[in-house]
Amino acid sequence: MSHSTRCAACKSLRRRCPKDCVLAPYFPPTNPQRFACVHKIFGASNTTKMLEQLPLHLRAVAADCMSFEASSRVEDPVYGTVGIISQLQEQIIEAQSELVKTKSEIAFHNAQQQLQQQQMQQLQMINAIAQEGEDWP
Amino acid sequence: MASSSSYSNSPCAACKFLRRKCMPDCIFAPYFPPEEPQKFANVHKIFGASNVSKLLNEVAPHQREDAVNSLAYEAEARIKDPVYGCVGAISVLQRQVIRLQKELDATNADLIRYACNANEMPTSSQFGRRNMSHGGGSFGQNSGMYYHYSPWNNEPSEDSNERGGEGNM
């Protein structure tokens, strides 16, 4: 028995799509590009082997991840997903450095405000004393 | 540095693994030295020798070492985690970026509040009949508004490289 409509994998490989086709649930015929990338990078045979080694309930996620890795590699043949990892690591370093800078500016403002408050208090005192001096004949 | 393995020397890790003669123009030889057999074994298991050879041929020679190293990284990640591969690392890093962005936004908001408070500090001319301030200015001379640029413009790292995304793969 075969699928009435072949999956993208079997279509691409020009073969019958059996009912128990390992790839069919994850490579529907509506998305031929998805299998094309995976086929180009991993190969149909490797993809089948890798999925077969997984329990059924994990295969969909694995197929999605492999599809993502494959399409990343097609878009960036040198770095693939490793390029994305590097970018994210750089963003993290930038954000951490920005955070340190901002927190130190807050600390600076805090210190400034405290200093200003102290100066205000001193000014008030001086003013009060001056006031008393004026009130005396 | 890529090492070279000539015909007269020991075969590269790829040719050793594939049990074939390592020719002088072997495409694998510069990047799979015989001292690192596991590197090729991993790459072969996940991608296959033929696919790797095709990938290397599509890439400029000066970029092949980087390409091999990134393939080796991905292969090793997928062997260690057959479900998520290195996409697992991407998810962790994305969450970290989002968390840091939120923290940065909150800290920037605090900074703006402090700057506003500094602007609102009363000046010396408000006290008593005598004007103590010669210039009539305030003590908050450095209390201008601070505007901080967020490199993400309120968006997490969802750029064109992330076709998958966390929930949309």
Side-chain angles (χ1 to χ4, degrees), chain B residues 4-11 22-24 29:
Chain B
S4 59
S5 181
S6 71
Y7 181 62
S8 56
N9 293 344
S10 67
C22 190
M23 304 303 284

Side-chain angles (χ1 to χ4, degrees), chain A residues 34 38-43 46 49-50 53-54 58 61-69 71-73 75-89 91-96 98-99 101-103 105-106 108-110 112-113 116-117 119-120 123-124 126-127 130-131 134-135, chain B residues 44-48 51 55 58-59 63 66-67 70-71 73-74 78 82-87 89-90 93-94 96-97 100 103-104 107-108 110-111 113-115 117-118 121-124 127-130 132 139-144 146 148-149 151-152 157 159-165 169:
Chain A
R34 180 174 151 106
V38 160
H39 182 34
K40 178 176 180 173
I41 302 303
F42 295 106
N46 279 347
K49 257 189 260 172
M50 284 193 272
Q53 286 166 4
L54 295 172
L58 291 175
V61 175
D64 283 345
C65 292
M66 288 170 64
S67 173
F68 179 73
E69 284 177 36
S71 57
S72 298
R73 178 67 57 179
E75 237 187 68
D76 182 355
V78 181
Y79 297 104
T81 46
V82 174
I84 298 173
I85 289 173
S86 297
Q87 278 180 17
L88 288 170
Q89 285 173 334
Q91 285 179 3
I92 286 167
I93 290 169
E94 269 179 44
Q96 285 170 336
E98 190 77 17
L99 208 50
K101 233 173 53 177
T102 310
K103 284 182 174 174
E105 287 190 34
I106 288 176
F108 171 76
H109 268 287
N110 216 5
Q112 266 219 319
Q113 273 184 4
Q116 283 172 5
Q117 276 169 1
Q119 288 172 341
M120 281 299 163
L123 204 60
Q124 278 177 309
I126 293 168
N127 217 22
Q131 198 68 24
E134 278 183 12
D135 291 343
Chain B
H44 180 260
K45 181 174 182 176
I46 300 300
F47 298 104
N51 285 341
L55 282 167
E58 284 173 11
V59 156
Q63 292 181 307
D66 282 351
S70 67
L71 285 168
Y73 178 88
E74 282 188 29
R78 185 146 285 284
V83 179
Y84 292 98
C86 64
V87 176
I90 290 176
L93 291 172
Q94 277 180 332
Q96 208 175 341
V97 165
L100 280 169
E103 196 179 341
L104 192 55
T107 310
N108 278 334
D110 283 345
L111 182 60
R113 258 199 302 278
Y114 269 101
N117 286 344
M121 286 294 286
T123 65
S124 58
F127 294 100
R129 291 180 293 196
R130 182 171 291 202
M132 298 296 294
F139 284 96
Q141 291 179 17
N142 292 324
S143 59
Y146 285 79
H148 273 258
Y149 168 69
W152 299 280
S157 55
D159 57 18
S160 61
N161 281 331
E162 296 176 42
R163 277 157 307 288
M169 299 180 73

